[in-house]
Amino acid sequence: MDLMEKDNTFESIRMIEKMQYRFANEMNGKKEVKQVRAKGTILAVEVQSDDRTNYLNELRNKIYPFFIDRGILLRPLGNVMYVMPPYCIKADELRFVHSTIINFLDTLYD
């Protein structure tokens, strides 16, 4: 609750939202992305897959370790990557998460 009472928390929330929406717009139309959506500070990137979209999609077994190996705790549900950053994240840290998503997508067709 203390965190929510700080003025800079709401500045951080606005920064995260702006960056998430901007990144979502950049991801639209990428061949590896089936759908991307943002709501507030949450971003969801649905990765194209030969299998149907569901929690058990095999892409989860590639997504999770790829991000863990790079120091990012990302919650994939099957082939959908969810980015739910803490409100204390810095802009450069969120840019790193976004660039790592792009790097992951680039590995899918290597």
Side-chain angles (χ1 to χ4, degrees), residues 29-48:
K30 284 189 70 72
K31 66 181 177 187
E32 305 89 356
V33 176
K34 183 174 183 179
Q35 184 183 45
V36 61
R37 52 200 178 273
K39 182 70 174 174
T41 61
I42 301 171
L43 174 76
V45 179
E46 184 177 347
V47 181
Q48 288 285 7

Side-chain angles (χ1 to χ4, degrees), residues 3 22 37-38 46-47 64 69 83 85 87-88 94 103-104:
L3 178 65
R22 186 180 311 133
R37 52 200 178 273
E46 184 177 347
V47 181
Y64 187 76
D69 289 348
V83 180
Y87 295 156
C88 61
L94 187 53
N103 292 340
F104 173 77

Side-chain angles (χ1 to χ4, degrees), residues 11-105:
E11 291 172 23
S12 181
I13 290 170
R14 286 188 291 277
M15 177 271 299
I16 294 166
E17 287 176 336
K18 184 177 179 181
M19 289 181 69
Q20 297 281 57
Y21 283 104
R22 186 180 311 133
F23 185 71
N25 286 331
E26 291 173 19
M27 292 292 93
N28 276 323
K30 284 189 70 72
K31 66 181 177 187
E32 305 89 356
V33 176
K34 183 174 183 179
Q35 184 183 45
V36 61
R37 52 200 178 273
K39 182 70 174 174
T41 61
I42 301 171
L43 174 76
V45 179
E46 184 177 347
V47 181
Q48 288 285 7
S49 174
D50 293 335
D51 198 5
R52 66 187 184 99
T53 296
N54 66 37
Y55 294 135
L56 303 176
N57 187 295
E58 287 297 315
L59 269 176
R60 184 249 180 247
N61 297 329
K62 289 183 180 181
I63 295 169
Y64 187 76
F66 184 91
F67 286 88
I68 285 292
D69 289 348
R70 286 150 184 85
I72 299 170
L73 182 57
L74 191 101
R75 182 177 181 222
L77 296 176
N79 60 313
V80 182
M81 297 182 283
Y82 287 89
V83 180
M84 300 179 287
Y87 295 156
C88 61
I89 196 168
K90 305 288 187 242
D92 60 330
E93 294 169 328
L94 187 53
R95 275 192 290 276
F96 176 69
V97 172
H98 291 163
S99 67
T100 305
I101 290 172
I102 292 169
N103 292 340
F104 173 77
L105 294 173

